[in-house]
Amino acid sequence: DVKVTQSSRYLVKRTGEKVFLECVQDMDHENMFWYRQDPGLGLRLIYFSYDVKMKEKGDIPEGYSVSREKKERFSLILESASTNQTSMYLCASSSSGQGNYGYTFGSGTRLTVV
Amino acid sequence: AQTVTQSQPEMSVQEAETVTLSCTYDTSESNYYLFWYKQPPSRQMILVIRQEAYKQQNATENRFSVNFQKAAKSFSLKISDSQLGDTAMYFCAPNTGANSKLTFGKGITLSVRP
C-alpha cells in the first residue's frame, strides 16, 4: 500500500522552539508539498518541492523553511515557533509523470504551540 | 492567485438521498485537471474523483459523479444514495498550474443523517 508518512500525529511545542515536521513517501514521487489547514480557511500551501534540493515558496511561507535532501523525505521547519502557527499540517506528494493523478496525503500533524 | 470557491460551508442530507456540492474556480488555462477530496473525522484526505478538463464526459466513480461545466468554470460533486460514511469535509481542488500544484477551496462539511 503506497504511503505518505508524517512522523507525528500530535505535537505540542513551546513558543520560540525550533520545530521539525517530517514527511516520507515511498512512491518515488518527484513532487512534495506542505499545507496548513485551519477552520474556515481550507488548505493553504506553505512550500513545495519538485526535486531533491529544490524548493519553492507557496502562498504562506513566512515563518517556515523546508529541506529536501533525499527524494523521499520533505521536512518542514518552524525556525521559532509562535502561537499563530498552531494548526494542522498536511504533507502530500505527487508524480510528475504524464497526466495528473492528484496528491497522496499523509495523515496530518496537529501542532499546538503554547 | 488562483481562487476556488465553495460557497456552502455546511450541508446536511438524509441517508439514501442525493446531495450536490458546488465549486467554482478561475483559470485562463484550457487544459487542466480537477479533483474532489474527502476528509473524514480520521483526518486522512482521500481522493474521491478526478476530471480531465479536455474530456467532455463527466467523471463517475460508483455513487460519486461530477457536473463539469468548463465555460462556467463550475465543478460540482453529486453523491447518490448517501451513506453515513460519507459524513466528511469535502474539498474541491483544480490544478491549472505547472507541476501538478493544486489549489484547494475552503471545504464543505457534509453531514449524513440516519
Side-chain angles (χ1 to χ4, degrees):
Chain A
D1 207 15
V2 293
K3 266 189 178 174
V4 176
T5 302
Q6 293 186 231
S7 53
S8 303
R9 191 156 174 84
Y10 297 95
L11 213 50
V12 179
K13 295 291 182 181
R14 294 197 177 277
T15 302
E17 275 193 77
K18 190 169 186 176
V19 181
F20 293 86
L21 302 184
E22 307 286 348
C23 176
V24 178
Q25 51 97 0
D26 64 0
M27 296 164 285
D28 201 35
H29 281 170
E30 294 80 10
N31 309 317
M32 296 188 75
F33 306 85
W34 276 106
Y35 287 83
R36 67 176 280 176
Q37 181 180 6
D38 300 288
L41 297 178
L43 277 70
R44 293 179 292 166
L45 182 63
I46 304 171
Y47 267 97
F48 56 103
S49 169
Y50 299 138
D51 201 351
V52 177
K53 298 192 184 294
M54 302 291 287
K55 59 184 178 183
E56 299 263 354
K57 292 180 180 179
D59 300 317
I60 52 164
E62 297 78 18
Y64 303 93
S65 62
V66 289
S67 171
R68 194 166 179 201
E69 297 296 318
K70 294 184 177 182
K71 189 176 185 179
E72 67 270 19
R73 186 181 296 270
F74 191 37
S75 303
L76 180 69
I77 304 157
L78 286 65
E79 296 290 344
S80 177
S82 65
T83 54
N84 63 13
Q85 292 178 310
T86 291
S87 186
M88 169 77 78
Y89 291 87
L90 291 171
C91 176
S93 71
S94 70
S95 172
S96 290
Q98 195 166 3
N100 185 331
Y101 293 89
Y103 294 172
T104 301
F105 280 90
S107 55
T109 295
R110 188 173 294 281
L111 172 68
T112 302
V113 182
V114 298
Chain B
Q2 183 181 56
T3 58
V4 180
T5 302
Q6 295 182 250
S7 57
Q8 312 141 305
E10 293 182 8
M11 289 190 76
S12 180
V13 65
Q14 194 77 32
E15 195 175 7
E17 292 189 345
T18 295
V19 64
T20 299
L21 313 182
S22 64
C23 174
T24 59
Y25 58 94
D26 73 69
T27 182
S28 57
E29 302 289 327
S30 59
N31 189 21
Y32 49 94
Y33 300 84
L34 307 102
F35 303 87
W36 277 96
Y37 281 87
K38 168 185 176 180
Q39 188 181 41
S42 67
R43 296 180 352 205
Q44 182 66 53
M45 292 279 275
I46 302 163
L47 177 63
V48 175
I49 201 163
R50 168 184 178 265
Q51 173 77 41
E52 299 175 46
Y54 63 88
K55 286 190 175 178
Q56 293 193 348
Q57 187 173 7
N58 288 323
T60 300
E61 286 287 341
N62 301 312
R63 298 183 295 108
F64 298 88
S65 60
V66 300
N67 182 5
F68 175 49
Q69 304 286 331
K70 190 172 183 180
K73 298 177 185 174
S74 169
F75 181 57
S76 60
L77 176 69
K78 186 170 85 170
I79 306 174
S80 303
D81 186 25
S82 297
Q83 299 177 0
L84 297 179
D86 295 333
T87 291
M89 198 152 189
Y90 288 81
F91 292 93
C92 171
N95 154 238
T96 59
N99 297 96
S100 76
K101 185 159 63 81
L102 302 183
T103 299
F104 289 82
K106 292 183 179 180
I108 174 170
T109 300
L110 175 68
S111 299
V112 180
R113 306 186 305 273

